[in-house]
Amino acid sequence: MSGSRRKRGGGRSSADEECSTRGGSASVSGYSSSSSATVYPVQLSPAVLNKIGNDCLVNRDYNEALRYYEEAIAITPDDCKLHCNRAGALIGLMRYPEAMAEFELAINLAPRRYQPRHDFGLWLLSLGQVENATDHLYSLGHKPDEATSQKLEAVKEHINKCTEARIVEDWATMKIESKAAFTSGADSSPQLFACRAEAHLKLNDLEYAETWIYIARMHKPFTARESKIFGMVSEAYVFFVQAQIHSSVGKFAAAVTAIEKAAQIDNQNAEVTDELENIRLVVEAHKHGDEHFCSERYEQACTSYGEGLWVDSSNPVLYYNRANCWSKLGEWEKSLADSNRALLYWPQYAKALHLRAASNIKLKRWADAVRDYEILRQELPRDQEVAANLSHARAELRREAPEGKVELVSDVEKFQAVIASGESVVYFNELTNPECAWMSSVMDTLSAKYPSVIFLKVVVEQSRAAAENITTLPRFRLYKDGSRVGTATLDVLEIMIKDNLIDPI
C-alpha cells in the first residue's frame, strides 16, 4: 500500500515529488503517514520548505510560514534569504523586535548583498522610520525604484508637516497629515497611529483617541536605531500619548505606568520628563480629592481637585469631580460651570452630562435640562429617573414659555422675505412629530432670550417649498440676510445662535 503524505493543515503539496520512501511509506518533516510499514524520516530540502513557507505567507498563515522557514533555517542557518522571509512572517505576527533582529542577522550574513537591506528598508518605511529606511534603501551604491522613492518622499513630507502642525498646535492639520502619511506608505507605524491619537485627544475626541492609541499599542512599538518623531524616541512617544489619554479618562494609575515607561526609554526629552512630573502631581491631587470627598469634606475636595486642574487645565475627570463637590454643597451655578468644562473636553462623558442636567433642573433652566435629558434618554431609554426628569422639565418649559413669540410660516414667499430681513432661526418639523410641542416651547424661550433674532416655524406638510428639501426632522437652520449660515440640532442650537447671529459686544 502506497503511503499518503499529508501537508500540515490537510492539503497535499507538490513537495511530495521530492520525497523518497522505503518499505512503501515515508514520514517527512511536517508530514504524516497512515501506513503501518516501517517509517524512515526523509527531510525536505530548504528550497521546498521555503516555497511552502512562501505559500503560507501569501495566504496570511503566518504561524505556519514561520514553522517552515525555521525548519529550512535549521538546515541552512547562513542563508540570508531565509532569514528575510522569517522576518516577513514575524511582521505578519506583529513580532516587530524579532523581525528587526532577523533582518539585521540577514544583513550581517551577507553584508555585500543589497536585497536584505532593500527588504529591511521597505519595512522600516512602512513603520514611518524614514531616516532608517533611507539609509538601507540607498546603500551599497544602489537606489530603490521610482515608485519606492516617491513613497519615501511622500511619507517624509507628511511627517514633516505633522511636526510643523504640532509645533503650532494645529491639531486638525496634524490629524490630516498623519492619515496622509499612513495612506502614502507608512501603514504599520505605531508612532503615526499615536500621532492621530494625540490629535484626536487635543481636539476633544477621546473615543477616537482611545481607539488609535489602542491600535498603536497593538503594533507593539519598538525603536530601530533610536528612530525619533517630534524630537522624541518613537517608542517613548507612543507611551507619552497613551499616558495623556489615560489621565484624561481617569485611568490615573495606568497613566503613571505609561509615562514612566516613556521616561525609561527617553529620559533626555524635556516633554517626557515634564509630563512625568505633571501626571504625578495630577494623580496626587486626585487621590487627596477623593479622600476628602469620601469623608464628606467637600470644600477641601474642591481645593484638591483644583490643584490638579492647575497642572492639567483640560482634564474632564477633575472638572466632573469638582462639579460633583459643588453639587453636594448646593453651589449649582459652579456645578453647572464645571460640568460644562468637563463636557467641553469630553463631549460623551455621561456622568458629566447627568450632573449638568441635574444642575439645570435645580437652576430651573428648563430648555437646557430638556436638551440634556433628551440626549440621556437616547443613551438610556429604560432609565426611569431620566424619563421622569425629562417629563418634568418639559412640563415646566411649556408652563413658563412666553406666548406668541414664534411665527408659523407656510407661504414660501413670506418665508424668503423674512429670512432676508436680518438674523433668523427656522424650525422645520412635521405635525405628526410628538416632540413638536415641547421643541416649539424651546423656540419660545430662545426668542425671549434673543429678541434681535426672528424665530420661525415651518411645518413641512404645509409648505414643501419652504422646507428646502430637508429630509431629517426635526431640524433647525440659521439665516443671516437671506443666506444660510448653519444647520443645527437642538443640543447645539443656542451655541450656533451666539456664534453666528449675535454680534459681540
Side-chain angles (χ1 to χ4, degrees):
M1 173 178 167
S2 177
S4 62
R5 304 181 199 96
R6 184 165 50 85
K7 176 183 172 184
R8 264 182 299 191
R12 187 173 172 80
S13 169
S14 60
D16 293 352
E17 301 302 322
E18 294 206 2
C19 302
S20 60
T21 62
R22 297 182 187 177
S25 179
S27 173
V28 297
S29 176
Y31 288 74
S32 62
S33 171
S34 59
S35 173
S36 59
T38 304
V39 176
Y40 296 87
V42 176
Q43 194 171 52
L44 297 179
S45 71
V48 173
L49 290 167
N50 182 59
K51 182 181 183 303
I52 298 172
N54 290 345
D55 291 340
C56 293
L57 198 66
V58 169
N59 294 322
R60 299 186 178 183
D61 191 350
Y62 302 119
N63 280 307
E64 282 294 284
L66 188 62
R67 290 183 186 181
Y68 284 112
Y69 293 141
E70 288 175 346
E71 287 185 21
I73 289 170
I75 301 170
T76 55
D78 294 336
D79 188 329
C80 71
K81 181 179 179 181
L82 289 174
H83 287 285
C84 286
N85 290 346
R86 183 175 186 270
L90 290 167
I91 291 168
L93 295 169
M94 293 186 180
R95 290 162 60 177
Y96 291 168
E98 294 173 73
M100 184 184 71
E102 203 69 13
F103 272 126
E104 290 179 340
L105 175 58
I107 291 170
N108 289 332
L109 288 170
R112 303 309 304 168
R113 285 190 64 182
Y114 175 64
Q115 193 62 44
R117 297 174 184 272
H118 176 270
D119 294 348
F120 192 22
L122 287 179
W123 179 53
L124 291 171
L125 175 58
S126 75
L127 295 176
Q129 298 184 14
V130 176
E131 292 183 6
N132 291 340
T134 301
D135 289 344
H136 287 85
L137 291 170
Y138 290 87
S139 62
L140 300 179
H142 292 266
K143 64 179 181 179
D145 57 55
E146 185 176 352
T148 301
S149 296
Q150 290 175 351
K151 185 185 293 186
L152 187 65
E153 288 304 312
V155 172
K156 182 178 180 180
E157 179 183 358
H158 291 303
I159 291 177
N160 286 340
K161 288 181 177 179
C162 281
T163 303
E164 293 168 1
R166 190 172 186 268
I167 290 170
V168 298
E169 299 185 355
D170 183 355
W171 306 112
T173 296
M174 182 170 155
K175 181 178 72 171
I176 292 169
E177 292 299 332
S178 60
K179 181 179 179 181
F182 171 87
T183 57
S184 295
D187 53 6
S188 301
S189 173
Q191 65 264 33
L192 283 173
F193 295 141
C195 184
R196 292 179 75 174
E198 185 177 29
H200 281 291
L201 171 66
K202 301 301 184 180
L203 291 169
N204 304 326
D205 192 347
L206 280 171
E207 276 65 28
Y208 273 111
E210 287 192 292
T211 297
W212 282 109
I213 201 62
Y214 174 78
I215 293 171
R217 296 291 297 121
M218 281 290 292
H219 280 75
K220 302 185 185 302
F222 76 103
T223 301
R225 292 173 51 197
E226 291 291 301
S227 172
K228 291 191 175 185
I229 185 169
F230 311 137
M232 194 182 304
V233 174
S234 297
E235 186 181 1
Y237 175 67
V238 176
F239 288 111
F240 172 81
V241 175
Q242 185 180 35
Q244 293 179 74
I245 295 171
H246 281 330
S247 180
S248 293
V249 298
K251 299 177 182 178
F252 293 110
V256 171
T257 300
I259 196 62
E260 286 178 347
K261 286 182 179 178
Q264 289 170 5
I265 296 165
D266 191 355
N267 60 10
Q268 300 300 312
N269 184 273
E271 258 196 290
V272 173
T273 55
D274 287 349
E275 192 64 24
L276 173 62
E277 181 180 357
N278 288 343
I279 286 179
R280 284 174 172 170
L281 290 172
V282 166
V283 170
E284 191 70 13
H286 178 263
K287 176 186 175 183
H288 290 157
D290 283 357
E291 290 171 351
H292 288 308
F293 185 89
C294 291
S295 299
E296 300 184 2
R297 298 189 297 268
Y298 301 120
E299 290 184 356
Q300 293 93 322
C302 282
T303 300
S304 293
Y305 294 134
E307 290 171 354
L309 287 166
W310 187 82
V311 178
D312 181 3
S313 61
S314 61
N315 191 293
V317 174
L318 292 178
Y319 279 121
Y320 164 75
N321 288 344
R322 193 169 69 176
N324 201 18
C325 292
W326 293 129
S327 73
K328 298 294 185 182
L329 294 167
E331 297 278 1
W332 295 107
E333 286 283 2
K334 292 180 180 179
S335 178
L336 178 63
D338 275 347
S339 297
N340 276 326
R341 293 187 186 101
L343 288 164
L344 173 65
Y345 295 112
W346 189 358
Q348 293 79 29
Y349 195 0
K351 286 184 176 180
L353 185 60
H354 266 283
L355 192 52
R356 186 174 76 175
S359 298
N360 281 320
I361 287 278
K362 292 291 185 179
L363 294 168
K364 298 184 179 180
R365 296 178 181 173
W366 308 116
D368 292 337
V370 166
R371 173 201 63 203
D372 290 343
Y373 281 117
E374 267 297 317
I375 298 171
L376 289 169
R377 187 184 67 167
Q378 293 174 11
E379 297 177 357
L380 304 167
R382 298 183 180 179
D383 191 303
Q384 296 300 314
E385 182 180 357
V386 168
N389 285 333
L390 175 60
S391 178
H392 171 63
R394 282 179 175 175
E396 292 296 329
L397 181 63
R398 286 193 295 268
R399 186 174 64 83
E400 293 189 358
E403 297 291 335
K405 291 287 185 181
V406 181
E407 184 176 1
L408 177 64
V409 177
S410 58
D411 182 84
V412 67
E413 292 181 358
K414 183 176 180 181
F415 167 78
Q416 292 174 344
V418 172
I419 65 171
S421 64
E423 294 77 26
S424 55
V425 176
V426 184
Y427 165 46
F428 298 89
N429 211 337
E430 298 171 293
L431 288 171
T432 55
N433 192 323
E435 298 176 345
C436 181
W438 74 264
M439 291 184 79
S440 295
S441 298
V442 174
M443 290 281 282
D444 288 335
T445 300
L446 291 173
S447 69
K449 192 171 183 179
Y450 304 103
S452 64
V453 179
I454 301 169
F455 288 80
L456 305 176
K457 180 167 74 173
V458 173
V459 178
V460 295
E461 294 95 334
Q462 296 175 356
S463 181
R464 291 287 176 184
E468 298 189 316
N469 298 318
I470 288 181
T471 57
T472 303
L473 296 170
R475 184 67 71 202
F476 300 90
R477 279 186 174 172
L478 290 73
Y479 299 85
K480 193 167 187 176
D481 300 326
S483 299
R484 189 166 78 236
V485 294
T487 300
T489 50
L490 182 61
D491 56 323
V492 296
L493 177 58
E494 186 170 2
I495 294 172
M496 291 193 67
I497 290 173
K498 292 178 181 179
D499 290 346
N500 294 281
L501 302 181
I502 305 300
D503 292 330
I505 298 174

